[in-house]
Amino acid sequence: MESPVAPSSTVSAVKTPARWWRAWWRSLSPTRQDRFAALAPVASVLMFLAAIVASFWYLRTEEVEREKEALRRDVEYAQQRVRLRLLERQEQIMRIARDLSNQDVERADFGSRAEPLISQYPELQAITWIDERRRIRASHAAPAVTSSQLRVGGEVLKPGETTNLFNAVRDLQQPLYSQPTATEGESAPLLQLQVPLSPQGKFGGVVLAEYSIDSLLRYGTPTEVLARYAVTLLDGNGRTLAGTPLPPRTNALLPWATKANQYEIPVSPVGNGLVMRAQAYRTSLGVVGSGLFWLVGTLSVMTAWMLIATWRHTRRRLQAQEALVAETNFRRAMENSILTGMRALDLEGRITYVNAAFCQMTGWTEAELVGQTPPYSYWPEGEYESLHANLRDELSGKTVPGGFQVRVRRKSGTLFDARLYVSPLIDARGHQTGWMTSMTDITEPNRVREQLTASHERFTIVLEALDASVSVAPLGSEELLFANRLYRQWFGSQTSGHLQLVAQAGVLPTSYSSGGMDDEDGLMGLPTDSLTSARSENAEIYLPDLGKWLEVRSRYLNWVDGRLAQMVIATDITPRRQAEEQAARQAERAQSVSRLITMGEMASSVAHELNQPLTAISNYCSGMVSRIQGGQISEEALLTALQKTAHQAQRAGQIIQRIRAFVKKSEPNRTLADVHEMVSEAVELADIELRRHNVHLTHYVAARLPQVMADTILIEQVLINLMKNGAESIAQAHRPPSGRSVELRVVPRHVDGRGVIEFSVQDTGKGLAPEVLAHLFEAFFSTKSEGMGMGLNLCRSIVESHQGRMHAENLYNGSEVTGCRFSFWLPLATAADATINSAATSTPRTIA
């Protein structure tokens, strides 16, 4: 049994949305109701137009899809026809290649086999027999082939795409297609097929078949496809090889529909190198060209035009109402949001208007200020007289364009600084009714200005107290923009000192010509990057007038007035330069002393070395005297004895001269040095000491080593010291005779991406203890009881002065130390070093 309340509930539920809609509509303001009422017709028309456009678009899309499907089927059918035609020709060419491989066809019969194929199939343009050496054995071509494309028997294939395909066929042993790029003068590009010849399983050349792509398209594509579509053959880069593509369509109404309906597919077995593309001819006007479309479109446009005209009329009425409300709100908002206090006075000095900012600044309300006469409540006590004078000037029209500064008292009793600007107040009829005054709080700007002044004073004090000269001068002017105390003490208050520092430091010039007869740009030659970036030029110069060495640093900056200026900072480095020169002199003396010590330690060995030629000379002379006295010597024997005596004397002189040059050397002189000569001199000097310790010396120098920029005597000193230390280490280790050897190796290396020459001295001593390795190159550190500890320190200093590095390490056989290796490297000479060396050698020197 149904409840009596159910129908009432259903009706209420149905009417609820309508009641809600009426309630929402009544809640809107009349302006919003008018706006919604005006927009409703426009929205309906737009929805109608959207439905019409969507319908026509759907119909057109269906039509285009059907055309694309038909195009795809026809193009795939045409591609299959062309593919079958290519495969048939390929099979025929392969038969010829098989007969040539089996030697069933001679050179004379090749033309008779190729001629029927070329005459029967128009796409075949030429068939060529090429042997394994890329030499053309025989060739037959169609009459349409140009002379530049003919292949003559006996010629060799030139490098190019045909040769590249020949190499690929030789490597893969299978037929390959290629589409060579057409050269200038060729009538049309040709498609190439190369089939390998395999006599007795070996590569014996290829049979080259060349197709006309245009004929392949004309005779291989079905006529019904050519009638419906514009068919073209393209290469892998999209260039047209055969056929004529459709020109771009021009459609001002639908510019997006200008592209023709087309489909592309690669032609097998050629692959992506040959693509068939078909473009459909336009056979119908389409949906847009139908009369129904234009009829519906015209009616829709007319309906939309009438409704839009009605909507624009209603919109203009609403805009006028909104403009009035917006103008009122804007003026009120501008009045309340402005940060500058505004005050209006009548001609008697009574306040008639103040804005919210003025009230916020002073703390008094508008009701408290309007109507006041001087003295005003915001005037500070004790300043009435000066403020009255300012007010009289204001009312009399004696206004200052830049305004005037006053002090204002807030309602809380605090004071702040303000600047007042006064202008006449003109009404709508052009009559002056009073004065308008704007007031700005300048307490914070005044505080910032005071802080900047104090900061400037501190900065000036710091610059004046610097122990470096600081000067700033603009480019192209003799004006000195800034100079600190030390600059004025050295050079006075003129720009000459600044220019002298810049000129001697070799940085960019500070003056340039502002113009001339040839209008040459004075800033020509300046760097193109930002001059005021963090970039500076450093140089060390000597000023004879001051008797000082100065380190000059220069950089460019934008001065406060926008001019490009140059700042120069000069620091006195005279004590440092003197210390460096003294250290250099001490290092030179230490090197000389080290060489003397080395020669002192080698004195006995040198004496033994000299004793041998001197003893030989004495023996030769004594023998000759005795044999001459006895009349037992012939002229030939006498001549031989004299030659041997001269040779021994020359040997003794060379030893003395080598030792003298080694000891006398004091001033470093880096020149282009031959590594082989340098190593030979060091080996001859060190071999004396090594033989004294019964140590065998072996050396290996790589062939054709490039030259290095080095002081040969200093590098020889390093090598001698390292080889002598190795011999002493072997002697202390008491190695047996078979294990007493020192090896010197000189080989090229690469360190940090640059070429170097590495020198290594390897001994068979007892190695170096870990605590010795940690302090090995320190000055005055030595493991010898009588050593000074300067040898290895000087060696490392000499190597580093040549931009090289030295390293020491122990050699191990398992956990046992079997020796030690010292190595160092020197960089190769550069082209700039060679130029400097040639200039130095060409300059004459006076030798004492």
Side-chain angles (χ1 to χ4, degrees):
M1 186 175 186
E2 296 182 355
S3 173
V5 185
S8 176
S9 301
T10 304
V11 173
S12 177
V14 172
K15 292 183 178 180
T16 296
R19 291 176 181 174
W20 177 85
W21 173 259
R22 286 195 297 272
W24 175 79
W25 180 259
R26 291 169 183 170
S27 65
L28 297 176
S29 62
T31 303
R32 289 183 176 272
Q33 291 179 359
D34 294 341
R35 185 175 301 172
F36 279 111
L39 289 177
V42 177
S44 301
V45 171
L46 292 178
M47 293 175 63
F48 171 74
L49 290 176
I52 294 297
V53 171
S55 301
F56 282 110
W57 174 81
Y58 175 76
L59 294 176
R60 179 58 183 168
T61 302
E62 287 291 324
E63 181 182 358
V64 170
E65 289 297 327
R66 287 193 300 273
E67 291 179 357
K68 286 184 178 180
E69 182 63 23
L71 173 63
R72 184 183 65 81
R73 289 195 304 269
D74 293 341
V75 172
E76 289 179 353
Y77 170 65
Q79 187 263 358
Q80 289 295 328
R81 290 283 300 274
V82 172
R83 173 177 173 273
L84 291 175
R85 196 173 186 92
L86 284 175
L87 290 177
E88 289 176 0
R89 303 295 87 73
Q90 177 180 340
E91 181 63 27
Q92 293 168 345
I93 299 300
M94 290 178 67
R95 291 196 195 101
I96 296 177
R98 187 164 51 250
D99 293 342
L100 289 175
S101 299
N102 297 331
Q103 298 181 355
D104 295 338
V105 176
E106 298 296 334
R107 182 174 180 178
D109 300 333
F110 179 79
S112 60
R113 292 288 299 272
E115 181 179 4
L117 293 178
I118 294 176
S119 58
Q120 182 178 0
Y121 304 108
E123 65 270 17
L124 268 177
Q125 295 293 301
I127 301 176
T128 305
W129 177 14
I130 304 173
D131 62 11
E132 68 276 6
R133 295 190 301 274
R134 300 198 303 272
R135 185 177 302 276
I136 298 175
R137 297 289 301 275
S139 179
H140 188 81
V145 177
T146 61
S147 59
S148 61
Q149 294 175 327
L150 288 176
R151 304 187 184 275
V152 180
E155 291 186 352
V156 179
L157 290 181
K158 298 179 181 179
E161 296 185 14
T162 304
T163 304
N164 297 338
L165 182 62
F166 179 89
N167 296 334
V169 171
R170 180 185 59 195
D171 296 337
L172 299 178
Q173 289 292 321
Q174 61 181 9
L176 293 179
Y177 285 88
S178 174
Q179 171 55 50
T181 304
T183 58
E184 185 176 359
E186 289 187 359
S187 60
L190 299 178
L191 177 66
Q192 293 186 356
L193 166 65
Q194 293 191 19
V195 179
L197 303 177
S198 302
Q200 298 178 359
K202 298 180 180 179
F203 179 75
V206 298
V207 175
L208 170 61
E210 296 178 286
Y211 298 84
S212 170
I213 300 179
D214 185 70
S215 299
L216 184 65
L217 174 64
R218 185 183 307 170
Y219 298 101
T221 307
T223 56
E224 60 271 17
V225 175
L226 293 175
R228 287 196 297 268
Y229 308 105
V231 183
T232 55
L233 290 178
L234 312 175
D235 62 5
N237 297 323
R239 292 191 297 267
T240 302
L241 301 177
T244 304
L246 291 179
R249 297 175 180 173
T250 56
N251 191 337
L253 182 61
L254 299 175
W256 59 85
T258 57
K259 186 176 181 181
N261 190 9
Q262 63 182 21
Y263 182 74
E264 295 181 357
I265 183 171
V267 177
S268 299
V270 180
N272 294 332
L274 189 63
V275 179
M276 176 179 287
R277 181 177 68 184
Q279 295 173 293
Y281 297 113
R282 188 173 182 84
T283 58
S284 64
L285 296 178
V287 177
V288 177
S290 64
L292 178 63
F293 173 82
W294 293 109
L295 177 61
V296 174
T298 303
L299 294 177
S300 301
V301 170
M302 293 177 62
T303 305
W305 177 76
M306 289 186 294
L307 291 175
I308 290 174
T310 304
W311 172 73
R312 291 181 62 187
H313 176 74
T314 306
R315 183 169 174 267
R316 282 195 294 269
R317 181 173 63 84
L318 294 176
Q319 286 177 346
Q321 297 177 356
E322 293 175 353
L324 180 61
V325 175
E327 182 68 19
T328 304
N329 294 335
F330 172 75
R331 292 182 177 274
R332 186 179 296 110
M334 183 178 63
E335 194 175 304
N336 294 331
S337 62
I338 192 171
L339 299 179
T340 302
M342 306 298 294
R343 178 198 65 178
L345 303 178
D346 59 12
L347 297 177
E348 285 76 23
R350 181 180 292 103
I351 298 176
T352 58
Y353 167 79
V354 290
N355 68 343
F358 192 93
C359 298
Q360 184 178 2
M361 287 182 183
T362 60
W364 276 278
T365 62
E366 182 180 1
E368 293 173 337
L369 293 175
V370 174
Q372 284 189 6
T373 56
Y376 304 119
S377 56
Y378 52 84
W379 281 5
E381 297 179 1
E383 299 183 13
Y384 286 167
E385 184 176 353
S386 62
L387 293 175
H388 268 294
N390 290 337
L391 182 62
R392 285 194 297 270
D393 294 340
E394 183 180 347
L395 296 178
S396 62
K398 298 178 181 180
T399 59
V400 181
F404 56 91
Q405 182 174 338
V406 296
R407 292 175 63 83
V408 180
R409 182 174 67 90
R410 296 188 180 91
K411 188 174 183 179
S412 61
T414 59
L415 302 178
F416 67 92
D417 296 330
R419 181 170 293 276
L420 303 181
Y421 300 89
V422 181
S423 59
L425 187 61
I426 308 299
D427 62 6
R429 294 186 296 274
H431 299 154
Q432 181 177 354
T433 59
W435 300 90
M436 176 61 71
T437 304
S438 61
M439 182 174 67
T440 306
D441 187 356
I442 61 172
T443 304
E444 184 63 21
N446 285 345
R447 185 185 65 80
V448 173
R449 188 178 298 108
E450 292 173 358
Q451 290 181 351
L452 289 176
T453 302
S455 176
H456 175 72
E457 292 177 356
R458 291 193 297 269
F459 177 71
T460 304
I461 291 173
V462 171
L463 285 180
E464 291 292 326
L466 284 177
D467 58 352
S469 164
V470 181
S471 59
V472 181
L475 293 180
S477 175
E478 299 295 331
E479 178 186 1
L480 188 64
L481 298 177
F482 176 81
N484 69 341
R485 177 189 57 80
L486 191 57
Y487 178 88
R488 296 192 300 271
Q489 179 181 341
W490 285 351
F491 307 104
S493 301
Q494 303 299 324
T495 321
S496 57
H498 177 92
L499 299 178
Q500 181 183 5
L501 292 175
V502 172
Q504 288 193 236
V507 293
L508 292 176
T510 57
S511 62
Y512 60 91
S513 173
S514 59
M517 297 298 293
D518 55 354
D519 295 332
E520 182 178 337
D521 186 4
L523 289 176
M524 188 186 307
L526 288 176
T528 57
D529 55 351
S530 178
L531 287 176
T532 57
S533 61
R535 185 173 68 94
S536 63
E537 304 285 348
N538 297 349
E540 295 183 0
I541 64 174
Y542 179 74
L543 294 183
D545 298 339
L546 297 177
K548 297 179 181 296
W549 279 95
L550 301 180
E551 182 184 18
V552 180
R553 289 170 290 171
S554 172
R555 67 164 297 168
Y556 297 88
L557 48 85
N558 288 323
W559 195 242
V560 292
D561 56 1
R563 288 184 292 175
L564 182 62
Q566 187 177 26
M567 179 177 66
V568 177
I569 303 174
T571 307
D572 185 3
I573 59 170
T574 304
R576 192 193 76 189
R577 289 297 295 259
Q578 293 174 350
E580 290 176 354
E581 293 175 359
Q582 184 178 1
R585 290 193 296 270
Q586 291 177 352
E588 291 178 5
R589 287 196 293 270
Q591 293 171 5
S592 299
V593 171
S594 175
R595 287 195 295 272
L596 290 173
I597 292 173
T598 301
M599 293 309 303
E601 295 175 352
M602 297 170 59
S604 60
S605 300
V606 171
H608 175 73
E609 187 72 14
L610 287 174
N611 188 51
Q612 291 180 359
L614 293 177
T615 302
I617 292 172
S618 177
N619 293 336
Y620 284 133
C621 291
S622 299
M624 285 188 293
V625 170
S626 61
R627 295 183 67 180
I628 290 174
Q629 290 176 352
Q632 302 175 356
I633 187 169
S634 63
E635 182 179 352
E636 182 180 358
L638 179 61
L639 180 61
T640 301
L642 288 175
Q643 289 177 348
K644 292 182 178 181
T645 303
H647 175 71
Q648 295 298 328
Q650 185 180 6
R651 178 186 172 193
Q654 289 176 350
I655 295 173
I656 294 173
Q657 184 179 3
R658 190 179 298 114
I659 295 171
R660 180 177 177 271
F662 180 76
V663 174
K664 185 180 178 181
K665 181 67 179 178
S666 60
E667 180 182 356
N669 183 21
R670 293 180 61 195
T671 58
L672 282 176
D674 184 79
V675 178
H676 289 270
E677 295 179 1
M678 190 164 49
V679 172
S680 298
E681 292 290 335
V683 167
E684 289 188 15
L685 285 174
D687 190 54
I688 302 171
E689 182 70 11
L690 267 63
R691 286 201 305 249
R692 186 171 67 88
H693 290 286
N694 194 21
V695 174
H696 177 65
L697 172 63
T698 60
H699 65 281
Y700 168 77
V701 182
R704 296 187 297 276
L705 287 177
Q707 292 180 322
V708 294
M709 200 75 176
D711 189 319
T712 57
I713 297 300
L714 293 180
I715 300 304
E716 288 174 12
Q717 179 181 349
V718 173
L719 292 174
I720 291 171
N721 199 353
L722 294 179
M723 289 186 286
K724 184 171 68 69
N725 287 348
E728 293 174 353
S729 176
I730 293 172
Q732 293 176 4
H734 303 292
R735 298 295 188 189
S738 60
R740 301 171 72 90
S741 65
V742 171
E743 181 183 5
L744 169 62
R745 291 182 62 85
V746 183
V747 293
R749 287 282 187 269
H750 276 83
V751 177
D752 297 334
R754 60 174 177 170
V756 300
I757 302 297
E758 183 187 58
F759 301 79
S760 63
V761 177
Q762 178 177 327
D763 61 60
T764 57
K766 59 182 179 180
L768 299 171
E771 61 273 10
V772 175
L773 279 173
H775 306 280
L776 187 61
F777 296 105
E778 294 181 2
F780 308 109
F781 177 81
S782 176
T783 58
K784 306 175 185 177
S785 58
E786 70 282 359
M788 295 174 57
M790 293 297 293
L792 290 177
N793 180 264
L794 281 175
C795 290
R796 185 181 67 172
S797 300
I798 291 171
V799 172
E800 291 181 352
S801 68
H802 287 72
Q803 288 81 44
R805 292 293 182 270
M806 177 172 281
H807 177 66
E809 60 180 344
N810 285 329
L811 302 176
Y812 293 90
N813 184 8
S815 60
E816 180 185 358
V817 178
T818 59
C820 181
R821 177 168 57 216
F822 284 83
S823 61
F824 66 92
W825 54 262
L826 300 178
L828 299 179
T830 61
D833 294 335
T835 303
I836 295 173
N837 182 75
S838 61
T841 54
S842 63
T843 302
R845 296 183 180 177
T846 301
I847 303 175

